[in-house]
Amino acid sequence: MSASLATPDRPRLLDALEERPFDLVVVGGGITGAGILREASLRGLSAALLEAEDFASGTSSRSSKLIHGGLRYLALGDVALVRETALERKRVFALAPHLAERCWMVVPARSWAGLLKFRAGIGTYEKLGAVEAADRHFHWNADELARFEPALRRDAWRFACVYREYLTEDARLVLANLRAALRRGGLAANHAAVEGFLEQDGRAAGVLARCRLTGRELRVRARCVVNAAGPWIEALRRLEDPQAPSVLHLSKGVHVSLPAERLPVRHIVIVNTSDKRSMFVIPRGDVVYVGTTDTSYGRGADVWPEVERADVEYVLEPLSRYFDVPKPSAEDVVAAWAGIRPLIAQPGRSPSEISRRDEIWIGPKRVVTIAGGKLTGYRRMAEEVMERVARVLERPLPPPADEDSPLPGGDFDGDLDALAARLVTQTGVEAPAAARLVRLYGTEAAAVVGLGATPLLPGSKVLSGEVDWAVGEEAAASLEDLIYRRTRAALYDPLARETLLAPAAARMAALLGWDAARREREIADTRGRLERDLGFARATRGG
Ligand code: FAD
């Protein structure tokens, strides 16, 4: 069975969505929806998914990109959540080791006492996550710190605790799960917004949707509907029940990227903000990204919540306290993104204190709604949703078949360096390019390079074959889909992203039959988007 989400096949896909009733239709193509589509397909259900914008265009492309148990939630007493997500790290690694890169996380300490305090917490965390001996934490003294993480200020930090976490590429984890579902007969359409529910005998019997690329109206029939629309679940719940109470507390999280030479860290480093929150400093190719904020967001679910100057200043503040670098300013920032956490409201608690647990409801018309949770726990959340789907379908569901079979690109032993070395030998791409490609595409990187090994621009890391792959296998339908969520150039390739737009659009135009006007519009739209991401740099302090 093909794992292609190809855009050129879209008319056939839309026909197939209307042809027959499904067991299940999932609304929302973030990690929650993608995980549910995969789980349903593994259990032999006929299942389809509709995403209003692009796959992962919501919160699932704006995270810190950590597959982690969330050590800080231990302090909040959320032991069950930490245990579950800590255990899930290994599962995600086994399914897609390229999308769960094993990393050492460095926690600087000023004193031996500070170090011991942290080690006690991490010991509990490792027990909960059944961490193997080779992956257990250790510490560095001042000499080791100077050798292994030389950017840290030696006058301030004399020790560090070092422990294991996993780094993902969130949007690509979504795509990999969708494509795994397709291998099992699932269907998924991006740019297809659900506008209402079909009804029979007072129950939801499918969805009414509109293809945003063609304007075509779609009637997708299904015996069960799952609302996995993240920050947008409430709008859908109100389509089912206008009186549905509000359940979410939306919180905004901002990350910013600095050029790697501006903040030359070698590992993920945890720093504390001025108000004692933990923040991550994460090296990724040519940039280092830092985040995140956690502030109540009262404007409702937005596709592009604004990155404000105050967010950026907050995120940058700790850096000169931790690192021996000139104080970075908003003008040094080369990329920025904001996402909205769909947290389950807990009145009286600030966003940082609210539990990251998920919750599932069955509505009056039998729509199953899931909200909350974390990227890391997506697989377990999908399992829980299946219990409710079984209730709505009024029949037990079989266990998932081939649950452990790797996601597309994940069929290797987890050694990314060896995989990159093989790619260099097989295809002749340069080592830095290979290192990037295997992190994005895993074992499929060779096929991507096979489609076109020349960089889109001299000096750019993005290859022409990635455009073909994005369109042919991953349903990229706009330049924004390509730049933000397939190649991730918007986040990590800031120097090339402006000049990258024209050659990338030209290649997409050839593949998708765009005329010159459409091509220019795509370039202008994406350039505008990228400029707005950095709009805070133009705003005056406090303005
Ligand atoms: P979304 O990704 O928002 O997906 C919902 C989708 O539904 C959207 O794509 C939207 O377009 C679509 N939709 C809405 N309405 C409709 C409609 N009418 N029809 C069709 N589709 C519709 N978790 C971790 O595990 N690790 C981390 O490091 C981490 N860091 C984070 C950092 C930040 C700043 C934030 C904000 C979150 C972070 N999280 C992290 C949490 C994690 O990102 C979220 O829990 C997860 O991405 C939520 O996914 P989702 O699929 O529920 O929502």
Side-chain angles (χ1 to χ4, degrees), residues 110-269:
R110 286 182 197 281
S111 63
W112 183 246
L115 178 73
L116 289 185
K117 192 170 154 220
F118 188 80
R119 289 187 75 164
I122 194 73
T124 309
Y125 180 65
E126 288 175 345
K127 276 198 199 100
L128 289 173
V131 171
E132 275 135 39
D135 282 345
R136 294 216 188 109
H137 74 277
F138 52 92
H139 77 270
W140 285 334
N141 61 26
D143 286 347
E144 288 162 325
L145 254 188
R147 194 145 33 109
F148 299 125
E149 198 50 270
L152 271 171
R153 278 180 52 175
R154 288 195 208 185
D155 57 339
W157 308 105
R158 295 177 47 225
F159 304 96
C161 183
V162 185
Y163 72 103
R164 186 66 95 187
E165 286 291 16
Y166 297 73
L167 189 60
T168 191
E169 202 41 84
D170 47 10
R172 298 203 57 84
L173 185 64
V174 173
L175 292 166
N177 275 281
L178 291 170
R179 292 178 61 234
L182 262 57
R183 282 183 176 163
R184 293 264 162 189
L187 293 179
N190 53 355
H191 302 288
V194 169
E195 295 175 344
F197 295 115
L198 302 174
E199 275 185 47
Q200 199 176 349
D201 305 327
R203 296 174 62 140
V207 297
L208 200 61
R210 189 169 302 278
C211 168
R212 288 188 165 163
L213 303 178
T214 59
R216 174 170 160 182
E217 189 178 276
L218 294 167
R219 294 170 67 81
V220 183
R221 289 163 295 148
R223 285 174 274 277
C224 179
V225 178
V226 171
N227 171 8
W232 292 267
I233 57 150
E234 307 215 301
L236 279 147
R237 259 163 65 92
R238 296 211 173 103
L239 287 177
E240 184 191 12
D241 172 11
Q243 311 305 326
S246 180
V247 288
L248 293 184
H249 182 136
L250 301 182
S251 144
K252 184 173 82 165
V254 166
H255 290 85
V256 302
S257 292
L258 295 164
E261 62 272 15
R262 195 70 185 70
L263 192 59
V265 290
R266 297 181 182 172
H267 304 86
I268 301 176
V269 181

Side-chain angles (χ1 to χ4, degrees), residues 27-34 50-68 170 192-195 228-233 236 239 251-255 280 292-293 303 337-342 370-377 381:
V27 186
I31 192 63
T32 308
L50 300 178
E51 161 55 49
E53 309 272 335
D54 185 23
F55 300 126
S57 57
T59 312
S60 299
S61 55
R62 327 284 178 92
S63 76
S64 303
K65 315 193 193 312
L66 290 167
I67 299 295
H68 66 158
D170 47 10
V194 169
E195 295 175 344
W232 292 267
I233 57 150
L236 279 147
L239 287 177
S251 144
K252 184 173 82 165
V254 166
H255 290 85
F280 304 111
T292 174
T293 62
V303 181
W337 64 90
I340 298 183
R341 299 176 186 86
I370 172 148
K374 291 193 56 83
L375 194 76
T376 307
M381 286 161 66

Side-chain angles (χ1 to χ4, degrees), residues 479-500:
L479 188 58
E480 182 199 296
D481 297 350
L482 178 81
I483 297 290
Y484 275 83
R485 291 168 294 273
R486 304 303 182 285
T487 63
R488 313 242 66 188
L491 278 57
Y492 309 135
D493 200 355
L495 301 178
R497 60 193 190 152
E498 274 284 319
T499 39
L500 204 62

Side-chain angles (χ1 to χ4, degrees), residues 302-453:
D302 267 347
V303 181
W304 295 103
E306 196 184 343
V307 177
E308 291 170 74
R309 194 169 179 107
D311 299 323
V312 176
E313 286 173 352
Y314 172 89
V315 165
L316 295 179
E317 184 280 328
L319 299 180
S320 52
R321 280 192 283 118
Y322 279 80
F323 301 101
D324 208 358
V325 294
K327 193 174 168 48
S329 73
E331 286 65 32
D332 294 316
V333 170
V334 289
W337 64 90
I340 298 183
R341 299 176 186 86
L343 307 177
I344 309 289
Q346 290 180 293
R349 289 199 174 191
S350 74
S352 295
E353 293 164 346
I354 294 179
S355 166
R356 269 47 179 170
R357 73 194 158 81
D358 60 273
E359 208 160 311
I360 306 174
W361 301 267
I362 301 181
K365 294 188 178 150
R366 312 296 284 161
V367 174
V368 178
T369 295
I370 172 148
K374 291 193 56 83
L375 194 76
T376 307
Y378 80 92
R379 217 193 44 84
R380 282 281 307 127
M381 286 161 66
E383 283 176 358
E384 287 168 23
V385 166
M386 285 305 120
E387 287 168 21
R388 309 308 202 285
V389 169
R391 255 190 249 170
V392 173
L393 294 178
E394 294 169 0
R395 65 176 166 96
L397 301 182
D402 286 344
E403 194 184 12
D404 298 328
S405 68
L407 301 184
D411 49 341
F412 68 108
D413 61 4
D415 187 341
L416 272 168
D417 293 338
L419 188 63
R422 276 204 300 281
L423 188 66
V424 171
T425 318
Q426 273 169 5
T427 65
V429 292
E430 297 195 351
R436 169 182 169 275
L437 288 166
V438 295
R439 280 170 177 79
L440 295 180
Y441 305 100
T443 54
E444 294 185 322
V448 174
V449 177
L451 294 171

